[in-house]
Amino acid sequence: MDRGWGFLIGLLGAVWLLSSGHGEQQPPETAAQRCFCQVSGYLDDCTCDVETIDRFNNYRLFPRLQKLLESDYFRYYKVNLKRPCPFWNDISQCGRRDCAVKPCQSDEVPDGIKSASYKYSEEANNLIEECEQAERLGAVDESLSEETQKAVLQWTKHDDSSDNFCEADDIQSPDAEYVDLLLNPERYTGYKGPDAWKIWNVIYEENCFKPQTIKRPLNPLASGQENTFYSWLEGLCVEKRAFYRLISGLHASINVHLSARYLLQDTWLEKKWGHNITEFQQRFDGILTEGEGPRRLKNLYFLYLIELRALSKVLPFFERPDFQLFTGNKIQDEENKMLLLEILHEIKSFPLHFDENSFFAGDKKEAHKLKEDFRLHFRNISRIMDCVGCFKCRLWGKLQTQGLGTALKILFSEKLIANMPESGPSYEFHLTRQEIVSLFNAFGRISTSVKELENFRNLLQSIH
């Protein structure tokens, strides 16, 4: 583990409040002000401000990123939606049509994607597979019994996953299927109530770090807890506070998506999806949420900066000449790699990235333990996604947690990335196709949320 973990510098600062006016009667706050009055200026502990993020994302990054995600390489995601919940058995499956996921037929997925399980070209895939197999078999003493040899290989597999932050699906399982993300968009499905609340409650209560002296719920959805947000955060070190803000930011981003693609009309003739201002206000309005909503939005920006930083760090991996976004269509693959590198260079140019030097920089033994706790907590959250009763929500929950987990893996691997060979397979650091697809689609979801916030600002301002 290296010290290159600057990503977690989160949320410093100055909460921007409306001025009191010193005796003058101020006009009533508009709906837009109640949602966004605190979501401006500098983010806490960051040198970056919200306005810079908005301009960079909405006008320089978002259009190109959406084009990339519409390409074949990124639209097909292999996932096992039939894995049992590892924590409880009483899952109520959502029976609504909008909760269903339509998997791809075999002939709908490009052959190059089905045949290439790694991240290089077909030739490089074959080479790396042969090398890895020879390396692993060579490492096992053939004088050992067959049972012991299998155990050693299992240990190797465990070591390979020791830097992963997610409980990844076994994509070789018969239950794993390709899903076209463009045909199964993330939007409001009607999945809510006790079952949905239970998922988030377990995530916040059992997997976010909590001061031993704090007994009350950490779940911001719990009744009467809105004003305790910073009071219990003050009892945590900055890394653990950042962990909570990551989860809160992901939660906020998902809620923005559901509010922006809400089922507004459902008749036998058509379904109409669009922005539901009331739903957005219920989740983010400063008054309706007792001050919690704007903080959730600030955590969304915090999450954006973390994943942005990870993408800036992983550029050398994708710049290597033998890396391809391999689908079998050579011309499109080359064009998409060029677009990918343009996006990553644009991200690299962002002027207000995190300072990299202040996290996990204390006692070496304690820092290592904190990193491992961080990894295991997030890994557990990825397993909870198999308990979501709505299959479309489960699909996007698994993809976004895997994407964030991949970003964390990148930020923990700065030195490994720096030491990669200029060409040929990288054994010290590599990303599978699943990790690449989830990384960019997860960031695409957050980028979309930031763009949708601009849309909601305009809609809220127009109703007054």
mmCIF file of all heavy atoms in Angstrom, residues 103-137:
data_model
loop_
_atom_site.group_PDB
_atom_site.id
_atom_site.type_symbol
_atom_site.label_atom_id
_atom_site.label_comp_id
_atom_site.label_asym_id
_atom_site.label_seq_id
_atom_site.Cartn_x
_atom_site.Cartn_y
_atom_site.Cartn_z
ATOM 1 N N PRO A 103 -32.116 -8.797 -20.029
ATOM 2 C CA PRO A 103 -30.744 -9.140 -20.421
ATOM 3 C C PRO A 103 -30.622 -9.278 -21.935
ATOM 4 O O PRO A 103 -31.621 -9.415 -22.656
ATOM 5 C CB PRO A 103 -30.512 -10.489 -19.724
ATOM 6 C CG PRO A 103 -31.884 -11.081 -19.588
ATOM 7 C CD PRO A 103 -32.830 -9.932 -19.407
ATOM 8 N N CYS A 104 -29.393 -9.262 -22.417
ATOM 9 C CA CYS A 104 -29.133 -9.369 -23.847
ATOM 10 C C CYS A 104 -29.230 -10.828 -24.302
ATOM 11 O O CYS A 104 -28.868 -11.755 -23.569
ATOM 12 C CB CYS A 104 -27.731 -8.860 -24.175
ATOM 13 S SG CYS A 104 -27.478 -7.114 -23.829
ATOM 14 N N GLN A 105 -29.693 -10.989 -25.521
ATOM 15 C CA GLN A 105 -29.565 -12.279 -26.178
ATOM 16 C C GLN A 105 -28.117 -12.438 -26.636
ATOM 17 O O GLN A 105 -27.399 -11.449 -26.850
ATOM 18 C CB GLN A 105 -30.508 -12.374 -27.369
ATOM 19 C CG GLN A 105 -31.985 -12.234 -27.006
ATOM 20 C CD GLN A 105 -32.463 -13.344 -26.087
ATOM 21 O OE1 GLN A 105 -32.135 -14.519 -26.290
ATOM 22 N NE2 GLN A 105 -33.225 -12.975 -25.056
ATOM 23 N N SER A 106 -27.689 -13.675 -26.806
ATOM 24 C CA SER A 106 -26.287 -13.933 -27.125
ATOM 25 C C SER A 106 -25.834 -13.222 -28.389
ATOM 26 O O SER A 106 -24.709 -12.707 -28.464
ATOM 27 C CB SER A 106 -26.063 -15.439 -27.276
ATOM 28 O OG SER A 106 -24.716 -15.710 -27.607
ATOM 29 N N ASP A 107 -26.706 -13.147 -29.402
ATOM 30 C CA ASP A 107 -26.301 -12.554 -30.669
ATOM 31 C C ASP A 107 -26.333 -11.034 -30.653
ATOM 32 O O ASP A 107 -25.970 -10.384 -31.634
ATOM 33 C CB ASP A 107 -27.182 -13.081 -31.804
ATOM 34 C CG ASP A 107 -28.665 -12.767 -31.597
ATOM 35 O OD1 ASP A 107 -29.016 -12.269 -30.501
ATOM 36 O OD2 ASP A 107 -29.462 -13.032 -32.509
ATOM 37 N N GLU A 108 -26.766 -10.430 -29.537
ATOM 38 C CA GLU A 108 -26.822 -8.973 -29.442
ATOM 39 C C GLU A 108 -25.518 -8.357 -28.957
ATOM 40 O O GLU A 108 -25.300 -7.153 -29.103
ATOM 41 C CB GLU A 108 -27.960 -8.555 -28.501
ATOM 42 C CG GLU A 108 -29.346 -8.913 -29.015
ATOM 43 C CD GLU A 108 -30.442 -8.602 -28.017
ATOM 44 O OE1 GLU A 108 -30.170 -8.602 -26.787
ATOM 45 O OE2 GLU A 108 -31.576 -8.365 -28.457
ATOM 46 N N VAL A 109 -24.661 -9.179 -28.348
ATOM 47 C CA VAL A 109 -23.404 -8.685 -27.784
ATOM 48 C C VAL A 109 -22.284 -8.902 -28.794
ATOM 49 O O VAL A 109 -22.137 -10.008 -29.331
ATOM 50 C CB VAL A 109 -23.074 -9.414 -26.462
ATOM 51 C CG1 VAL A 109 -21.791 -8.857 -25.855
ATOM 52 C CG2 VAL A 109 -24.231 -9.304 -25.487
ATOM 53 N N PRO A 110 -21.468 -7.888 -29.080
ATOM 54 C CA PRO A 110 -20.361 -8.065 -30.022
ATOM 55 C C PRO A 110 -19.460 -9.226 -29.623
ATOM 56 O O PRO A 110 -19.144 -9.416 -28.442
ATOM 57 C CB PRO A 110 -19.613 -6.726 -29.935
ATOM 58 C CG PRO A 110 -20.667 -5.734 -29.524
ATOM 59 C CD PRO A 110 -21.569 -6.490 -28.597
ATOM 60 N N ASP A 111 -19.050 -10.011 -30.625
ATOM 61 C CA ASP A 111 -18.236 -11.188 -30.360
ATOM 62 C C ASP A 111 -16.934 -10.840 -29.645
ATOM 63 O O ASP A 111 -16.450 -11.603 -28.804
ATOM 64 C CB ASP A 111 -17.915 -11.920 -31.674
ATOM 65 C CG ASP A 111 -19.155 -12.572 -32.280
ATOM 66 O OD1 ASP A 111 -20.091 -12.865 -31.517
ATOM 67 O OD2 ASP A 111 -19.176 -12.772 -33.513
ATOM 68 N N GLY A 112 -16.358 -9.685 -29.989
ATOM 69 C CA GLY A 112 -15.105 -9.290 -29.354
ATOM 70 C C GLY A 112 -15.243 -9.108 -27.859
ATOM 71 O O GLY A 112 -14.317 -9.415 -27.096
ATOM 72 N N ILE A 113 -16.403 -8.608 -27.410
ATOM 73 C CA ILE A 113 -16.623 -8.418 -25.984
ATOM 74 C C ILE A 113 -16.806 -9.767 -25.290
ATOM 75 O O ILE A 113 -16.264 -10.003 -24.212
ATOM 76 C CB ILE A 113 -17.858 -7.523 -25.756
ATOM 77 C CG1 ILE A 113 -17.540 -6.096 -26.188
ATOM 78 C CG2 ILE A 113 -18.294 -7.558 -24.293
ATOM 79 C CD1 ILE A 113 -18.705 -5.140 -26.064
ATOM 80 N N LYS A 114 -17.529 -10.676 -25.933
ATOM 81 C CA LYS A 114 -17.766 -11.991 -25.319
ATOM 82 C C LYS A 114 -16.493 -12.817 -25.229
ATOM 83 O O LYS A 114 -16.323 -13.596 -24.285
ATOM 84 C CB LYS A 114 -18.819 -12.754 -26.125
ATOM 85 C CG LYS A 114 -20.213 -12.165 -25.998
ATOM 86 C CD LYS A 114 -21.243 -13.020 -26.712
ATOM 87 C CE LYS A 114 -21.063 -12.954 -28.216
ATOM 88 N NZ LYS A 114 -22.160 -13.676 -28.924
ATOM 89 N N SER A 115 -15.579 -12.627 -26.175
ATOM 90 C CA SER A 115 -14.375 -13.468 -26.200
ATOM 91 C C SER A 115 -13.223 -12.879 -25.419
ATOM 92 O O SER A 115 -12.287 -13.597 -25.068
ATOM 93 C CB SER A 115 -13.931 -13.700 -27.649
ATOM 94 O OG SER A 115 -13.548 -12.478 -28.249
ATOM 95 N N ALA A 116 -13.252 -11.579 -25.146
ATOM 96 C CA ALA A 116 -12.124 -10.918 -24.478
ATOM 97 C C ALA A 116 -12.485 -10.628 -23.037
ATOM 98 O O ALA A 116 -13.206 -9.696 -22.740
ATOM 99 C CB ALA A 116 -11.760 -9.627 -25.199
ATOM 100 N N SER A 117 -11.976 -11.442 -22.126
ATOM 101 C CA SER A 117 -12.304 -11.272 -20.711
ATOM 102 C C SER A 117 -11.371 -10.290 -20.022
ATOM 103 O O SER A 117 -11.631 -9.873 -18.908
ATOM 104 C CB SER A 117 -12.235 -12.620 -19.992
ATOM 105 O OG SER A 117 -10.943 -13.179 -20.122
ATOM 106 N N TYR A 118 -10.238 -9.965 -20.682
ATOM 107 C CA TYR A 118 -9.316 -9.020 -20.082
ATOM 108 C C TYR A 118 -9.426 -7.678 -20.786
ATOM 109 O O TYR A 118 -10.410 -7.373 -21.426
ATOM 110 C CB TYR A 118 -7.879 -9.552 -20.136
ATOM 111 C CG TYR A 118 -7.633 -10.656 -19.161
ATOM 112 C CD1 TYR A 118 -7.944 -11.972 -19.501
ATOM 113 C CD2 TYR A 118 -7.145 -10.407 -17.899
ATOM 114 C CE1 TYR A 118 -7.742 -13.005 -18.602
ATOM 115 C CE2 TYR A 118 -6.935 -11.438 -16.994
ATOM 116 C CZ TYR A 118 -7.230 -12.735 -17.361
ATOM 117 O OH TYR A 118 -7.028 -13.751 -16.472
ATOM 118 N N LYS A 119 -8.387 -6.875 -20.700
ATOM 119 C CA LYS A 119 -8.508 -5.493 -21.102
ATOM 120 C C LYS A 119 -7.655 -5.133 -22.304
ATOM 121 O O LYS A 119 -7.583 -3.996 -22.688
ATOM 122 C CB LYS A 119 -8.148 -4.571 -19.932
ATOM 123 C CG LYS A 119 -6.679 -4.632 -19.471
ATOM 124 C CD LYS A 119 -6.378 -5.832 -18.658
ATOM 125 C CE LYS A 119 -4.931 -5.895 -18.222
ATOM 126 N NZ LYS A 119 -4.597 -7.173 -17.654
ATOM 127 N N TYR A 120 -6.968 -6.133 -22.881
ATOM 128 C CA TYR A 120 -6.094 -5.833 -24.003
ATOM 129 C C TYR A 120 -6.712 -6.326 -25.309
ATOM 130 O O TYR A 120 -7.850 -6.782 -25.362
ATOM 131 C CB TYR A 120 -4.726 -6.490 -23.792
ATOM 132 C CG TYR A 120 -4.017 -5.996 -22.570
ATOM 133 C CD1 TYR A 120 -3.923 -6.775 -21.429
ATOM 134 C CD2 TYR A 120 -3.459 -4.729 -22.541
ATOM 135 C CE1 TYR A 120 -3.279 -6.308 -20.298
ATOM 136 C CE2 TYR A 120 -2.812 -4.251 -21.414
ATOM 137 C CZ TYR A 120 -2.724 -5.056 -20.302
ATOM 138 O OH TYR A 120 -2.097 -4.590 -19.181
ATOM 139 N N SER A 121 -5.951 -6.261 -26.369
ATOM 140 C CA SER A 121 -6.398 -6.806 -27.635
ATOM 141 C C SER A 121 -6.505 -8.324 -27.523
ATOM 142 O O SER A 121 -6.051 -8.940 -26.554
ATOM 143 C CB SER A 121 -5.387 -6.454 -28.726
ATOM 144 O OG SER A 121 -4.147 -7.090 -28.456
ATOM 145 N N GLU A 122 -7.090 -8.957 -28.537
ATOM 146 C CA GLU A 122 -7.275 -10.404 -28.497
ATOM 147 C C GLU A 122 -5.936 -11.121 -28.380
ATOM 148 O O GLU A 122 -5.789 -12.074 -27.603
ATOM 149 C CB GLU A 122 -8.013 -10.848 -29.760
ATOM 150 C CG GLU A 122 -8.393 -12.327 -29.745
ATOM 151 C CD GLU A 122 -9.273 -12.685 -30.929
ATOM 152 O OE1 GLU A 122 -9.247 -11.944 -31.929
ATOM 153 O OE2 GLU A 122 -9.978 -13.695 -30.847
ATOM 154 N N GLU A 123 -4.938 -10.643 -29.150
ATOM 155 C CA GLU A 123 -3.620 -11.288 -29.094
ATOM 156 C C GLU A 123 -2.997 -11.129 -27.702
ATOM 157 O O GLU A 123 -2.442 -12.081 -27.141
ATOM 158 C CB GLU A 123 -2.692 -10.675 -30.154
ATOM 159 C CG GLU A 123 -3.134 -10.898 -31.597
ATOM 160 C CD GLU A 123 -4.220 -9.927 -32.027
ATOM 161 O OE1 GLU A 123 -4.524 -8.991 -31.262
ATOM 162 O OE2 GLU A 123 -4.779 -10.108 -33.114
ATOM 163 N N ALA A 124 -3.088 -9.916 -27.160
ATOM 164 C CA ALA A 124 -2.503 -9.681 -25.838
ATOM 165 C C ALA A 124 -3.262 -10.441 -24.763
ATOM 166 O O ALA A 124 -2.681 -10.900 -23.788
ATOM 167 C CB ALA A 124 -2.503 -8.187 -25.518
ATOM 168 N N ASN A 125 -4.578 -10.587 -24.945
ATOM 169 C CA ASN A 125 -5.355 -11.372 -23.986
ATOM 170 C C ASN A 125 -4.863 -12.806 -23.925
ATOM 171 O O ASN A 125 -4.693 -13.387 -22.855
ATOM 172 C CB ASN A 125 -6.844 -11.382 -24.387
ATOM 173 C CG ASN A 125 -7.518 -10.078 -24.061
ATOM 174 O OD1 ASN A 125 -7.120 -9.398 -23.134
ATOM 175 N ND2 ASN A 125 -8.540 -9.731 -24.828
ATOM 176 N N ASN A 126 -4.645 -13.389 -25.111
ATOM 177 C CA ASN A 126 -4.163 -14.772 -25.154
ATOM 178 C C ASN A 126 -2.799 -14.890 -24.492
ATOM 179 O O ASN A 126 -2.525 -15.841 -23.758
ATOM 180 C CB ASN A 126 -4.095 -15.251 -26.599
ATOM 181 C CG ASN A 126 -5.469 -15.334 -27.242
ATOM 182 O OD1 ASN A 126 -6.475 -15.525 -26.544
ATOM 183 N ND2 ASN A 126 -5.532 -15.201 -28.564
ATOM 184 N N LEU A 127 -1.931 -13.909 -24.748
ATOM 185 C CA LEU A 127 -0.589 -13.933 -24.179
ATOM 186 C C LEU A 127 -0.621 -13.844 -22.661
ATOM 187 O O LEU A 127 0.024 -14.625 -21.964
ATOM 188 C CB LEU A 127 0.242 -12.782 -24.756
ATOM 189 C CG LEU A 127 1.663 -12.624 -24.172
ATOM 190 C CD1 LEU A 127 2.488 -13.869 -24.443
ATOM 191 C CD2 LEU A 127 2.329 -11.383 -24.761
ATOM 192 N N ILE A 128 -1.407 -12.887 -22.144
ATOM 193 C CA ILE A 128 -1.428 -12.702 -20.699
ATOM 194 C C ILE A 128 -2.054 -13.905 -20.007
ATOM 195 O O ILE A 128 -1.630 -14.315 -18.926
ATOM 196 C CB ILE A 128 -2.165 -11.396 -20.314
ATOM 197 C CG1 ILE A 128 -1.924 -11.090 -18.836
ATOM 198 C CG2 ILE A 128 -3.649 -11.470 -20.563
ATOM 199 C CD1 ILE A 128 -2.455 -9.719 -18.417
ATOM 200 N N GLU A 129 -3.060 -14.518 -20.651
ATOM 201 C CA GLU A 129 -3.694 -15.690 -20.048
ATOM 202 C C GLU A 129 -2.715 -16.845 -19.969
ATOM 203 O O GLU A 129 -2.619 -17.547 -18.951
ATOM 204 C CB GLU A 129 -4.928 -16.081 -20.878
ATOM 205 C CG GLU A 129 -5.795 -17.124 -20.196
ATOM 206 C CD GLU A 129 -7.116 -17.308 -20.932
ATOM 207 O OE1 GLU A 129 -7.362 -16.617 -21.926
ATOM 208 O OE2 GLU A 129 -7.895 -18.163 -20.482
ATOM 209 N N GLU A 130 -1.934 -17.058 -21.039
ATOM 210 C CA GLU A 130 -0.939 -18.133 -21.037
ATOM 211 C C GLU A 130 0.137 -17.873 -19.992
ATOM 212 O O GLU A 130 0.558 -18.786 -19.273
ATOM 213 C CB GLU A 130 -0.318 -18.248 -22.428
ATOM 214 C CG GLU A 130 -1.281 -18.761 -23.494
ATOM 215 C CD GLU A 130 -0.667 -18.721 -24.881
ATOM 216 O OE1 GLU A 130 0.536 -18.358 -24.978
ATOM 217 O OE2 GLU A 130 -1.370 -19.031 -25.858
ATOM 218 N N CYS A 131 0.590 -16.604 -19.903
ATOM 219 C CA CYS A 131 1.643 -16.262 -18.940
ATOM 220 C C CYS A 131 1.163 -16.452 -17.509
ATOM 221 O O CYS A 131 1.887 -16.994 -16.671
ATOM 222 C CB CYS A 131 2.105 -14.828 -19.161
ATOM 223 S SG CYS A 131 3.013 -14.581 -20.699
ATOM 224 N N GLU A 132 -0.043 -15.994 -17.236
ATOM 225 C CA GLU A 132 -0.560 -16.103 -15.880
ATOM 226 C C GLU A 132 -0.765 -17.564 -15.484
ATOM 227 O O GLU A 132 -0.474 -17.962 -14.366
ATOM 228 C CB GLU A 132 -1.874 -15.333 -15.754
ATOM 229 C CG GLU A 132 -1.680 -13.823 -15.765
ATOM 230 C CD GLU A 132 -2.989 -13.081 -15.620
ATOM 231 O OE1 GLU A 132 -4.048 -13.711 -15.768
ATOM 232 O OE2 GLU A 132 -2.938 -11.863 -15.355
ATOM 233 N N GLN A 133 -1.252 -18.358 -16.442
ATOM 234 C CA GLN A 133 -1.454 -19.769 -16.144
ATOM 235 C C GLN A 133 -0.118 -20.455 -15.866
ATOM 236 O O GLN A 133 0.021 -21.217 -14.902
ATOM 237 C CB GLN A 133 -2.168 -20.452 -17.311
ATOM 238 C CG GLN A 133 -2.498 -21.933 -17.039
ATOM 239 C CD GLN A 133 -3.239 -22.552 -18.208
ATOM 240 O OE1 GLN A 133 -3.232 -22.019 -19.309
ATOM 241 N NE2 GLN A 133 -3.869 -23.682 -17.974
ATOM 242 N N ALA A 134 0.899 -20.176 -16.714
ATOM 243 C CA ALA A 134 2.214 -20.783 -16.509
ATOM 244 C C ALA A 134 2.833 -20.325 -15.199
ATOM 245 O O ALA A 134 3.436 -21.114 -14.459
ATOM 246 C CB ALA A 134 3.130 -20.422 -17.684
ATOM 247 N N GLU A 135 2.661 -19.042 -14.885
ATOM 248 C CA GLU A 135 3.239 -18.491 -13.661
ATOM 249 C C GLU A 135 2.626 -19.154 -12.426
ATOM 250 O O GLU A 135 3.315 -19.519 -11.477
ATOM 251 C CB GLU A 135 3.017 -16.984 -13.620
ATOM 252 C CG GLU A 135 3.628 -16.310 -12.392
ATOM 253 C CD GLU A 135 3.393 -14.809 -12.408
ATOM 254 O OE1 GLU A 135 2.814 -14.310 -13.377
ATOM 255 O OE2 GLU A 135 3.790 -14.144 -11.434
ATOM 256 N N ARG A 136 1.313 -19.312 -12.456
ATOM 257 C CA ARG A 136 0.640 -19.869 -11.288
ATOM 258 C C ARG A 136 0.917 -21.361 -11.141
ATOM 259 O O ARG A 136 1.174 -21.853 -10.053
ATOM 260 C CB ARG A 136 -0.865 -19.605 -11.396
ATOM 261 C CG ARG A 136 -1.195 -18.139 -11.221
ATOM 262 C CD ARG A 136 -2.674 -17.884 -11.282
ATOM 263 N NE ARG A 136 -2.956 -16.466 -11.084
ATOM 264 C CZ ARG A 136 -4.147 -15.923 -11.117
ATOM 265 N NH1 ARG A 136 -5.198 -16.683 -11.357
ATOM 266 N NH2 ARG A 136 -4.309 -14.644 -10.923
ATOM 267 N N LEU A 137 0.875 -22.083 -12.265
ATOM 268 C CA LEU A 137 1.152 -23.521 -12.184
ATOM 269 C C LEU A 137 2.597 -23.764 -11.793
ATOM 270 O O LEU A 137 2.903 -24.695 -11.046
ATOM 271 C CB LEU A 137 0.838 -24.185 -13.532
ATOM 272 C CG LEU A 137 -0.647 -24.238 -13.913
ATOM 273 C CD1 LEU A 137 -0.811 -24.866 -15.294
ATOM 274 C CD2 LEU A 137 -1.444 -25.027 -12.874
#
